[in-house]
Amino acid sequence: MSSSKDPCSSAASSRGNWGSKLGFILAAGGSAVGLGNLWKFPYLAYSNGGGAGDQQGAGGFVLIYLLAVLVLGLPIMIAEMMLGKRTQTTPIGAFESVRPHSLWKHVGTLCVITGFLLLSYYSVIAGWTVEYTVKSVTSEFSNYDQAVSEEMVREQLWHDFVYSSEGEAALIIELGQKPESLSKALTDPKLNTLKQVVTDQEWKRLQQNEEGQAKLSELKKTLYPQKLFSEFIAHPWKQVLWAFVFLAMTVGVVIGGVSKGIERWSKILMPALFVLLIVLLGRMLMLDGAGKALSFLFRPSFEMVTASTVLNAMGQAFFSLSLGMGVLITYGSYMKKEDNLVSSSYSVVIMDTLIALIASVIIFSAIFSYNLVMKDGGTGNLFTAMPVIFMKLPGGILLCAAFYILVIFAALTSAISMLEAVVATFVDEFKWSRKKAVYIISAVTFVLGIPAALSYNLMSNVTIMGKTWIDFADFLCSNWFMPIGGLMLSLFVGFVFTKKDQREELPEAHCKWFPFPLFRVLVRYIAPVLVVVVLLGMLFGAIQ
Ligand code: PHE
C-alpha cells in the first residue's frame, strides 16, 4: 500500500499525491481555515458570550473551544488522516477495505450526506462574500450619507446613552431600580418617554455645528453596513445567484483535479490571508475598543456557560477543523507513506485556531470601538463590523476589497475540500467519471442550497425546532453529524485498527510532541466518551 497506484480503483489515474509536505499542510489547512474561522467563530463567540453589551464575555466559550480542539480535535484529526493514508481511498471505501461487508461503511455514507448538506448552505454564506467584494469594488459603501435614516441614528443614540454611565443613572431614576439587563432596557416601553427626550436632545446637538455634523457622519458610517446587510439578505434571488456563482467557482477547481489546483492556490492564498489578518490585527489593536475586545474574548468568565455553550464549542471544533465528514480521509489518501501525521495535524490545528482567534480580536475590536450592536445576534458580524473599519481607514475601500477576496479564497479552499470528498467517493465507489460526479453532485447541492438561500427572506417563517432551514442544517451538520462521524472514526481507528497498524503510522520519530500512549487513550476512550456525553446531554436537553 505504499504508492497511490491502487489497481482496484478506477480512479487511480485521477488519484494523485501531494507535491510536498507543505503543500499538504496548506491544502488541509485551506480546508480547515474558512468561514468557520472568519465568520462562524466570531459569531458564536458573540452569541455565546451574551452579545457585546452587558458585563458578559465569551471567555468561557473560548476556553471550552480550545479544550475541545486539543482533546477531541487533534486525536480525531490524526485518526481521520490515518484511515485515509493507510487505505488510500475515500470515506466509504476506506471502511469497506478494512472491514468488508460490515455496517462500518455507513459511517462513510454519513460523511457523504454531511458533505452534500454542508456544502449546500456553506455556498450561501460564501456567496455573501462575493456580494461584498462587488460592493467594495463598486464603492457602494460610500453612499452612507443619504441611506441612513434619522430613525436609525436615533436608535443608535439611544443605545449609546443606555450604555453610558450617565444613562445608567437616568435609567435607575426612571425605573426606580437598576435595570435587569441593559439590552432589555433598550426596548423597554416604560422608557419610551426618556428615549424621546434623550434622542431629541442628541439629534439637535448633532445638527448644531460642524463638529456635530462630523459626528453624525461618523455615526452614519457605523450604521450603514448593518442596513446594507439586512437589505441584502432580504433579497431572495441575490442569495441564490451568489450561491450559484460560488458553487460554480468551486466546480471550476475541482473539475481540474485537486493536486495542482488546490495545492498551488493554497500556497499563495493562505499566506496572503494570514499577512492581511496580521496587518489588520496590528491596526485594530490601536483602537480604543481593543482592550475591551481582548477581555471579552479571553477573560475567563463562566456566567454565560450553559450546556449549549459546550455543544456549540464542540460542534465548532469539528466544523472548523473539517473533521468527521471524510475530507481528511480523502486528503489523507493523497499522502505519501513517509508523511508525518502528527506534525501535519499540529500545523493545521495551530493555524486554524490562531486564525479564528485573530479574526475574533479584529471583529470585536471594531464592535467595541464603534459601539456596534449586532441586531441579528452576530450572524452578520463579518459583513457588518468589518466594513465599518474599512470605511474609516484611509484607503480602506481598497483594503476592503482585498479582504473580502481573501475571505472568498478561504471559503473556496474549504468548499473545494467538501466537494472533493464527495466527488472522490462517487468516483471510487460507483466508478463515475470525475466530470459526471462533479456536475451531478454540484447540481444536487445547488438545489439543496435553495431553501438555505431563502432562509433569511421568503422562508424566514418556516422553522424546524425553532430554527430556520439554514440554522437547522448547520445545527444538524456541526452539532450532530460531524461529531457522530468523528466519534465513529475514532472508535474505528482506536479499536478496529490493531496497535501495530497504528504504530506503523505513528512511528517513534513522529511522536515527540504527542506520545503514542496518549494518542491511544485519547482516541479510544477520552474523545469517544466526551462526544457521547455531550450528545446525550443534548438529546435529553432537547427532549425536556
Ligand atoms: N473547516 C471549514 C471552515 O472552517 C469548513 C469545513 C467543514 C470544510 C467540513 C470541510 C469539511 O470553514
Side-chain angles (χ1 to χ4, degrees):
M1 237 192 291
S2 63
S3 88
S4 64
K5 292 191 192 74
D6 178 356
C8 308
S9 165
S10 68
S13 53
S14 59
R15 175 165 279 287
N17 276 144
W18 300 108
S20 65
K21 185 175 168 200
L22 182 70
F24 168 73
I25 292 174
L26 289 177
S31 167
V33 175
L35 295 171
N37 310 60
L38 305 168
W39 162 72
K40 201 173 166 199
F41 187 83
Y43 148 49
L44 286 176
Y46 187 91
S47 52
N48 284 281
D54 298 324
Q55 291 315 307
Q56 298 114 351
F61 169 78
V62 172
L63 191 71
I64 298 171
Y65 175 77
L66 293 178
L67 280 176
V69 163
L70 279 179
V71 179
L72 302 173
L74 195 60
I76 293 179
M77 178 175 282
I78 296 180
E80 190 167 338
M81 286 181 188
M82 187 189 286
L83 180 61
K85 180 171 176 248
R86 227 179 144 71
T87 58
Q88 301 266 305
T89 177
T90 39
I92 297 181
F95 290 100
E96 194 59 10
S97 71
V98 181
R99 271 281 176 279
H101 314 300
S102 70
L103 288 178
W104 280 109
K105 72 162 179 271
H106 293 305
V107 181
T109 315
L110 178 68
C111 290
V112 171
I113 295 172
T114 314
F116 272 111
L117 194 58
L118 192 58
L119 184 57
S120 74
Y121 73 85
Y122 200 84
S123 318
V124 173
I125 312 284
W128 296 356
T129 61
V130 186
E131 158 89 10
Y132 269 67
T133 310
V134 175
K135 277 195 191 325
S136 22
V137 176
T138 54
S139 320
E140 210 181 321
F141 292 120
S142 38
N143 301 335
Y144 60 90
D145 207 30
Q146 304 85 29
V148 176
S149 66
E150 179 179 333
E151 198 197 329
M152 285 181 77
V153 174
R154 282 177 183 264
E155 284 297 325
Q156 182 68 30
L157 292 172
W158 173 238
H159 168 269
D160 293 352
F161 178 76
V162 167
Y163 281 96
S164 67
S165 49
E166 176 201 355
E168 206 184 326
L171 293 189
I172 296 176
I173 296 174
E174 193 69 18
L175 295 169
Q177 60 184 35
K178 207 167 175 253
E180 202 185 304
S181 114
L182 291 178
S183 40
K184 284 207 191 103
L186 282 176
T187 50
D188 189 340
K190 280 193 235 122
L191 296 169
N192 277 350
T193 329
L194 180 66
K195 180 174 172 185
Q196 190 68 35
V197 174
V198 168
T199 55
D200 274 350
Q201 198 183 14
E202 285 297 307
W203 178 254
K204 268 196 207 117
R205 228 188 2 224
L206 292 177
Q207 307 295 324
Q208 243 165 29
N209 50 23
E210 259 178 38
E211 196 189 322
Q213 304 271 344
K215 209 175 144 209
L216 181 61
S217 140
E218 287 304 297
L219 206 59
K220 285 186 170 174
K221 281 187 193 169
T222 59
L223 294 172
Y224 186 46
Q226 299 243 13
K227 180 178 154 65
L228 267 185
F229 183 70
S230 29
E231 282 171 3
F232 165 58
I233 57 174
H235 256 290
W237 65 262
K238 271 195 184 172
Q239 304 289 310
V240 178
L241 171 77
W242 291 126
F244 179 82
V245 169
F246 179 79
L247 212 49
M249 297 196 286
T250 314
V251 165
V253 180
V254 175
I255 203 128
V258 201
S259 44
K260 273 194 204 124
I262 304 186
E263 197 173 339
R264 201 178 51 212
W265 281 103
S266 305
K267 269 185 184 164
I268 305 170
L269 296 168
M270 297 303 295
L273 176 68
F274 198 65
V275 170
L276 187 65
L277 282 179
I278 298 282
V279 171
L280 279 176
L281 178 69
R283 184 64 187 78
M284 292 288 101
L285 287 177
M286 285 152 52
L287 293 179
D288 295 343
K292 215 168 158 195
L294 291 173
S295 104
F296 180 83
L297 283 165
F298 300 115
R299 187 176 59 85
S301 54
F302 294 92
E303 301 91 344
M304 298 303 297
V305 173
T306 60
S308 80
T309 317
V310 180
L311 179 73
N312 285 333
M314 180 184 80
Q316 173 63 6
F318 279 93
F319 184 89
S320 191
L321 296 171
S322 308
L323 297 176
M325 72 137 282
V327 161
L328 294 173
I329 302 181
T330 311
Y331 275 22
S333 77
Y334 306 134
M335 281 175 109
K336 296 197 192 87
K337 190 162 175 54
E338 63 280 9
D339 285 341
N340 183 333
L341 290 173
V342 176
S343 65
S344 307
S345 304
Y346 263 118
S347 315
V348 174
V349 165
I350 292 173
M351 184 176 3
D352 189 70
T353 309
L354 262 184
I355 292 188
L357 294 177
I358 294 176
S360 306
V361 174
I362 293 176
I363 288 177
F364 281 97
S365 300
I367 291 180
F368 286 116
S369 302
Y370 303 119
N371 269 328
L372 307 180
V373 194
M374 302 283 128
K375 299 216 171 62
D376 53 12
T379 317
N381 58 20
L382 179 67
F383 305 93
T384 51
M386 293 308 290
V388 175
I389 313 167
F390 293 126
M391 283 163 74
K392 288 173 183 263
L393 291 180
I397 293 302
L398 251 158
L399 212 58
C400 187
F403 176 75
Y404 283 114
I405 289 175
L406 288 174
V407 180
I408 296 181
F409 280 116
L412 196 59
T413 47
S414 300
I416 287 165
S417 73
M418 296 175 201
L419 184 58
E420 174 62 20
V422 181
V423 164
T425 309
F426 276 75
V427 170
D428 279 0
E429 291 305 309
F430 305 113
K431 316 292 175 232
W432 284 12
S433 72
R434 189 172 186 84
K435 238 192 186 153
K436 175 175 163 190
V438 171
Y439 285 134
I440 294 183
I441 292 165
S442 54
V444 173
T445 309
F446 173 66
V447 174
L448 260 180
I450 293 178
L454 302 183
S455 291
Y456 293 98
N457 36 71
L458 298 182
M459 286 175 56
S460 60
N461 292 329
V462 183
T463 55
I464 309 171
M465 291 167 65
K467 294 176 168 33
T468 55
W469 172 254
I470 194 164
D471 286 344
F472 182 70
D474 184 38
F475 171 74
L476 265 189
C477 288
S478 309
N479 293 4
W480 284 99
F481 293 172
M482 298 170 83
I484 292 176
L487 165 71
M488 293 299 163
L489 271 159
S490 67
L491 291 176
F492 191 77
V493 169
F495 292 99
V496 177
F497 273 26
T498 61
K499 194 169 176 184
K500 189 170 145 272
D501 291 332
Q502 296 163 358
R503 202 44 169 155
E504 268 170 29
E505 298 301 331
L506 295 174
E508 196 56 49
H510 293 177
C511 289
K512 229 189 295 162
W513 296 101
F514 202 48
F516 186 67
L518 178 64
F519 169 75
R520 277 185 54 90
V521 175
L522 284 173
V523 90
R524 286 162 70 101
Y525 306 109
I526 298 185
V529 168
L530 281 178
V531 176
V532 169
V533 167
V534 176
L535 292 182
L536 283 181
M538 241 271 300
L539 198 59
F540 289 117
I543 287 168
Q544 263 171 18

